[in-house]
Amino acid sequence: MAAGAPLLTLSGVSKHFGGLQVINDLDFVVHESETVGLIGPNGAGKSTVFNLITSIYQPDRGSITFKGTEITGLAPHKICHMGLSRTYQLVRAFLKMSVMENVMMAAVYGVKHHEQGPKQRAAEALELVEMSHKRDVNAAHLTLSDRRLLEIAMGLSSMPSLILLDEPMAGLTEVEIQHLLEVIGTTRDERNFSILWIEHKVDAVLDFCDRVGVIDYGVKIADGCPDDVACDAKVIEAYLGEPVA
C-alpha cells in the first residue's frame, strides 16, 4: 500500500532507566495509510518505544510528533483524543464488564466530537472484529484469542488514525493467528488507518507489513521493505547472536 504524509515522527528519542540506556537516539516515522512492523530481540526496547509514544514514559531527549503536533509529555488521554490508540502485550480489558461495555468505554475516550456516539462506534467496531454475537459476554469469560480481538475493537472504537499493536499474536494458535491477521487486514482496508506493530512472530510481520524497522539494544539497525530487512546482515546477527559468514 502506498504511504502518504508523515503521521508519527520520532526524532532523536532516547530513554534510560538508571544506568541502563534502553532507547538511544531513535529516529523513526510512520506515514499515513502505512503498516509498519517494529521487531527486535527480547529486551531490544520495543515496548519502551510504545510507552514513550503514548506518554507512559517521558523521553530524556528528542521529540515525538503526531499529525505535526508535538505530543512529548502530553497526557495519554489527550493523545488518544488526537487519534492514536494502542493495545497491550498483556490484555487490559475490564474483566467484570461485558464486551460491549468495554468497547463503549474506549469509544468515550476516543476522538472528540465525532458524528457517531460511543454506542454506535462500539457496535461498529465489534462488527469489524466479528464479535457482535458476544457483546453481552463478560470479558472474564472470553478466550485469550477473543480478548485480543476485544482489545483491537476497543482501539478501533476510538476512531484512530494510528493504532499501536503490542504483540497481538502472543499466546495464540496458528489458526487463531490466521484469523487475527484476516480481521486486522479487513479492518485496516475498511478504515484506512495506519498501524505500528510490535511482534515476536517475525515471519508474520514480514508478510503483513509495508515496511519493517529493527531495533537492537535500543538502537535502530534497519528500516526498509520486508525483503531487504530479512536479508540484512545486522538483523541476522542480532537474532542469531553471531556475525554472518
Side-chain angles (χ1 to χ4, degrees):
M1 182 182 296
L7 183 63
L8 174 75
T9 303
L10 283 71
S11 301
V13 172
S14 296
K15 180 66 179 177
H16 76 279
F17 297 100
L20 179 63
Q21 189 73 40
V22 181
I23 302 296
N24 190 9
D25 200 26
L26 178 64
D27 294 326
F28 202 73
V29 64
V30 178
H31 297 87
E32 294 175 352
S33 304
E34 187 177 36
T35 300
V36 183
L38 184 62
I39 63 174
N42 287 332
K46 302 182 297 296
S47 291
T48 298
V49 172
F50 272 22
N51 288 333
L52 289 167
I53 293 169
T54 54
S55 209
I56 293 174
Y57 300 150
Q58 301 304 311
D60 301 320
R61 297 188 307 277
S63 68
I64 303 172
T65 60
F66 180 61
K67 297 181 178 178
T69 299
E70 178 76 39
I71 61 172
T72 309
L74 198 64
H77 71 278
K78 293 184 178 179
I79 295 173
C80 185
H81 285 325
M82 293 174 66
L84 195 157
S85 65
R86 70 170 295 180
T87 67
Y88 291 86
Q89 184 177 350
L90 299 176
V91 180
R92 296 190 179 185
F94 298 99
L95 298 182
K96 294 184 179 180
M97 294 169 59
S98 72
V99 165
M100 184 64 171
E101 288 168 340
N102 268 278
V103 183
M104 283 184 64
M105 177 72 74
V108 167
Y109 284 94
V111 175
K112 289 184 175 180
H113 311 303
H114 195 274
E115 60 186 16
Q116 294 178 317
K119 188 172 183 178
Q120 186 177 355
R121 279 185 276 168
E124 184 178 290
L126 285 175
E127 185 175 348
L128 283 170
V129 302
E130 302 175 5
M131 286 193 66
S132 297
H133 61 297
K134 297 185 179 181
R135 57 182 291 157
D136 296 322
V137 176
N138 270 21
H141 299 150
L142 297 176
T143 63
L144 175 59
S145 177
D146 281 344
R147 288 187 190 183
R148 297 226 180 263
L149 289 173
L150 168 59
E151 198 167 48
I152 291 171
M154 292 168 70
L156 292 174
S157 70
S158 69
M159 306 303 290
S161 303
L162 170 65
I163 186 167
L164 312 182
L165 301 179
D166 193 349
E167 296 193 39
M169 294 187 285
L172 303 186
T173 67
E174 288 300 321
V175 172
E176 291 169 338
I177 287 171
Q178 187 58 42
H179 177 62
L180 181 71
L181 289 171
E182 291 171 359
V183 167
I184 293 173
T186 299
T187 55
R188 176 193 59 188
D189 295 343
E190 177 83 15
R191 291 278 188 87
N192 194 33
F193 51 80
S194 299
I195 298 173
L196 180 55
W197 186 331
I198 288 175
E199 189 57 62
H200 278 299
K201 195 169 177 59
V202 175
D203 56 342
V205 171
L206 294 174
D207 287 340
F208 192 84
C209 294
D210 304 314
R211 181 166 55 87
V212 177
V214 187
I215 58 175
D216 188 27
Y217 293 107
V219 176
K220 185 174 72 173
I221 60 172
D223 185 357
C225 72
D227 288 343
D228 289 345
V229 167
C231 298
D232 189 288
K234 290 183 179 180
V235 175
I236 296 171
E237 180 181 345
Y239 275 98
L240 297 181
E242 58 185 17
V244 179

